Amino acid sequence: MMSAYDDAQLRTAAAAAIRAPSLHNSQPWRFRLREGGIEVLADQSRQLAAADSAGWALRIACGAATFNARVALAALGVPAEVTLLPRGAEPQVIARLTPGARRPPTYAEEALAAAVPHRHSNRQPFWSDPVPSQSRIELLAAARAEGAWLDLLVGMTPLAVFAEIAQSADRVLRRDPAYQAELTAWSHTDGAPDGVPVTAGAPASEPQDLLPQRAFAERRRTPGRDFEPEPLVGVLGTRGDLPMDQIVAGQALQHVLLTVVDLGLACSMISQPIEVPAAREQLRRSLRRSGSPQMALRIGYGRPGRPSPRRALEDVLAG
């Protein structure tokens, strides 16, 4: 068994970790070597004041980054043993990765590692091709492997209920001036290393759209044309909603998202019904779940897109 990770392994893990998703691409994480382990730290200076005052999205993002680091280390043949919210650590330490027994990566680990640089949110309309049953089974298994659940909404009635909840939540957020100002501040046209480029945004919403889209851009499409008539929507959740549950949800989310890439699918996230507490409770009741929804996903086939920008590795490595 290896006794400690080194700086090169830290950099490999961090380079993969920064490819994780985060709300408004805020990238609220840092990474460091400490006593031979790699630590994932929450960067609270990048926590969204209006959209994420409680830190839910920050913990989801850091959980997703932790999963990418795990995958990268496994692909190197130096898999990690992971401790979430390690006892006695500083409050900003989300996870600590320590070396486990050396071994060759599994085929599944190699596939997930290969998917990391290709994972990005695709906010464009998806094609009408249905997601095959076997692919759906693999997505459910990816969430379950990390201690979470994924419900794929089957049929127009559950989809219509979800759409109503999501649109209602989106209206609440659109009426919040601070929320909208923050969204605008994280929308960029100038090649910034964070935030969402307007070119990555979806076309502007139309009244007939089933699901809400964030207003990162104001590009129009043919009037009256449906964005997607019947998308596949999944809701990811956990048994509880403590900080630990949210980090678990982040790891499960990233396992699902990398599986999406490996299956040749595309995905974007719908967090509005999670961000509004009343909508989140409505969603939980509609699913007849005792746990807590943590993220909604839109999954399908679409044109390849481009990943959002990332900060330089040197900017996220802590001393």
Side-chain angles (χ1 to χ4, degrees), residues 8 22 38 48 57 85 139 143 230-231:
S22 55
I38 294 172
L48 301 172
L85 299 178
L139 296 173
E230 193 175 346

Side-chain angles (χ1 to χ4, degrees), residues 120-256:
H120 65 276
S121 292
N122 188 330
R123 301 175 183 87
Q124 301 305 309
F126 294 160
W127 303 323
S128 58
D129 308 58
V131 175
S133 298
Q134 183 57 39
S135 295
R136 297 178 188 225
I137 290 169
E138 292 186 40
L139 296 173
L140 299 178
R144 197 162 50 243
E146 305 305 322
W149 47 263
L150 178 66
D151 284 357
L152 298 176
L153 306 185
V154 177
M156 281 307 296
T157 299
L159 184 58
V161 170
F162 173 82
E164 184 177 349
I165 293 169
Q167 292 283 11
S168 175
D170 190 63
R171 287 193 292 272
V172 169
L173 297 174
R174 285 176 183 268
R175 289 196 295 267
D176 183 338
Y179 187 97
Q180 290 304 309
E182 188 173 70
L183 179 66
T184 299
W186 286 94
S187 305
H188 297 309
T189 57
D190 59 358
D194 54 14
V196 179
V198 294
T199 53
S205 295
E206 298 285 349
Q208 77 276 8
D209 287 351
L210 190 64
L211 300 176
Q213 296 285 345
R214 292 200 192 277
F216 289 118
E218 286 301 324
R219 290 178 294 112
R220 312 304 297 185
R221 64 181 192 269
T222 305
R225 180 182 174 188
D226 287 347
F227 187 86
E228 283 171 347
E230 193 175 346
L232 175 62
V233 170
V235 180
L236 179 84
T238 49
R239 283 174 289 185
D241 193 33
L242 297 174
M244 178 72 79
D245 297 300
Q246 295 162 3
I247 299 165
V248 166
Q251 292 202 91
L253 172 65
Q254 190 64 2
H255 197 158
V256 169

Side-chain angles (χ1 to χ4, degrees), residues 149-154 158 161-162 165 233-237 274 280-296:
W149 47 263
L150 178 66
D151 284 357
L152 298 176
L153 306 185
V154 177
V161 170
F162 173 82
I165 293 169
V233 170
V235 180
L236 179 84
I274 312 298
R280 192 184 195 189
E281 176 58 18
Q282 274 187 295
L283 179 57
R284 184 193 66 79
R285 289 201 308 266
S286 74
L287 297 171
R288 299 180 180 177
R289 281 281 187 177
S290 59
S292 297
Q294 299 287 356
M295 184 61 70

